[in-house]
Amino acid sequence: MRHLMNPLDFTVEELETLFALANDIEAHPDKYAHACEGKKLATCFYEPSTRTRLSFESAMLGLGGQVLGFSDAGSSSASKGESVSDTIRVISCFADICAMRHPKEGAPMVAAGRSSIPVINAGDGGHQHPTQTLTDLLTIRSLKGRLDHFTIGLCGDLKFGRTVHSLINALVRYPGIHFTFISPPELRVPDYITDLLREKKIPYNEVIRLEACLPELDLLYMTRVQRERFFNEEDYVRLKDFYILDKNKLSLARKDMLILHPLPRVNEISVEVDDDPRAVYFKQVQYGVYVRMALILTLLDIHVD
Ligand code: NCD
């Protein structure tokens, strides 16, 4: 049985197969509409989320399966003191596969160790968010036709943003990637990531001003400042509007640069940018459903001819 904790749990070849499946689902949704009939997905969300949870639910419903679950810790037995290990053993009796989000780093991994059904990490604290990464990779691959030889700018909260950590982790396996980290000094990418890049001899640079590097970027990954992971509100207020991508700044960028964002957006991309063909963050949401459909089929070992 397989789980998904980290984007590296799949080899590059396995990811290629997964993305090809996701693209086939996109092209022929009807073919897959009954693939998960009789199967149930449990969404165990100990931390608020709308898009990720609904994306999983939409994916399972699109495959003809059913969904059950809870969407905050207060409405689960966690509020009575139950451990995730016990919860997953119980959930294993109710469902065939589980997507779990938890504020504590490593909690879905603990659950997977006790589970008799596949567990998908749907975000654990500031650590990893592998299905967002699969979404990001599928979006780039579908719109650019490749996952190698890019200069990618990651902008915003690079310290607490788990989507950023997961995406870097996944991209280091592709050749010709150059990272540009754009953040205020307080929200720099963690040292363990820059250590890894140096060790692997993967080029990166760190800048504070977005305008300084925009013309060189093939991809721009914007993120919000992660308010819920700050220790004090003052710091958050000081940093929250550090970057605002507007039409004016965007005029510095390449005509074929893609703008991605895991959403939710706060102020970091001005709404006037939404109509620009380079803004693909809403398409990205749609790719998120296709890639979760492909993931559910893969982890349940269901094949559709
Ligand atoms: C992200 C997350 O939860 O980490 N959202 C998402 O799943 N699309 C990004 C965020 O909350 O900023």
Side-chain angles (χ1 to χ4, degrees):
M1 192 184 42
R2 280 190 92 161
H3 306 288
L4 177 71
M5 292 297 124
N6 183 306
L8 302 183
D9 292 349
F10 282 77
T11 64
V12 168
E13 293 72 29
E14 285 172 330
L15 285 185
E16 277 305 302
T17 307
L18 187 83
F19 297 146
L21 178 57
N23 285 142
D24 196 56
I25 294 170
E26 177 187 9
H28 311 284
D30 293 349
K31 208 169 106 181
Y32 297 89
H34 303 285
C36 281
E37 241 157 42
K39 301 281 184 197
K40 286 175 248 150
L41 164 81
T43 51
C44 299
F45 276 60
Y46 294 85
E47 198 186 56
S49 155
T50 36
R51 75 211 62 250
T52 303
R53 186 169 53 82
L54 293 183
S55 176
F56 270 111
E57 295 192 1
S58 171
M60 192 52 159
L61 295 174
L63 293 167
Q66 288 172 300
V67 295
L68 67 163
F70 55 86
S71 55
D72 75 279
S75 64
S76 78
S77 296
S79 62
K80 298 181 186 167
E82 187 176 55
S83 67
V84 283
S85 311
D86 280 5
T87 303
I88 196 67
R89 292 178 85 172
V90 171
I91 299 291
S92 299
C93 305
F94 300 154
D96 303 281
I97 184 164
C98 171
M100 180 181 283
R101 168 168 289 194
H102 204 287
K104 273 205 194 117
E105 279 89 357
M109 178 97 92
V110 172
R114 279 297 187 167
S115 180
S116 52
I117 58 172
V119 178
I120 302 167
N121 176 4
D124 61 328
H127 188 217
Q128 295 276 336
H129 193 347
T131 60
Q132 182 63 47
T133 299
L134 299 183
T135 302
D136 303 338
L137 296 179
L138 177 65
T139 306
I140 299 168
R141 186 181 175 279
S142 302
L143 300 178
K144 285 282 189 192
R146 63 180 204 277
L147 284 169
D148 47 55
H149 298 92
F150 285 120
T151 296
I152 177 168
L154 295 114
C155 177
D157 187 345
L158 309 188
K159 178 178 181 187
F160 296 115
R162 58 189 168 198
T163 61
V164 168
H165 306 158
S166 269
L167 182 58
I168 298 169
N169 216 355
L171 280 175
V172 298
R173 297 193 293 185
Y174 297 90
I177 302 290
H178 182 289
F179 292 99
T180 297
F181 300 129
I182 309 143
S183 76
E186 295 89 333
L187 298 179
R188 281 186 52 217
V189 75
D191 287 343
Y192 80 86
I193 292 186
T194 44
D195 289 348
L196 174 86
L197 296 178
R198 273 197 303 273
E199 191 190 303
K200 291 189 175 293
K201 300 200 173 16
I202 295 169
Y204 72 89
N205 59 317
E206 293 185 84
V207 299
I208 296 175
R209 285 188 62 235
L210 178 58
E211 293 88 324
C213 61
L214 255 178
E216 278 98 66
L217 304 181
D218 301 303
L219 305 165
L220 172 61
Y221 195 86
M222 292 296 291
T223 63
R224 75 179 169 98
V225 176
Q226 305 275 303
R227 177 182 210 160
E228 65 278 30
R229 305 203 199 283
F230 271 69
F231 293 110
N232 72 65
E233 183 72 7
E234 255 167 61
D235 286 346
Y236 170 72
V237 170
R238 189 165 49 81
L239 295 169
K240 73 182 174 57
D241 293 330
F242 205 92
Y243 298 106
I244 300 179
L245 178 67
D246 56 18
K247 271 194 171 160
N248 213 4
K249 285 191 197 123
L250 197 55
S251 65
L252 299 168
R254 289 197 184 146
K255 294 276 166 280
D256 62 349
M257 183 189 78
L258 296 184
I259 310 162
L260 294 105
H261 191 308
L263 304 183
R265 155 180 57 190
V266 187
N267 276 333
E268 56 282 351
I269 303 180
S270 162
V271 289
E272 67 184 20
V273 170
D274 295 0
D275 296 329
D276 192 291
R278 292 169 283 190
V280 297
Y281 27 92
F282 292 111
K283 273 191 195 150
Q284 206 177 337
V285 178
Q286 186 63 60
Y287 282 119
V289 179
Y290 298 135
V291 91
R292 289 184 175 94
M293 290 170 89
L295 179 66
I296 291 169
L297 290 174
T298 304
L299 294 180
L300 289 177
D301 205 17
I302 293 173
H303 301 271
V304 177
D305 303 317

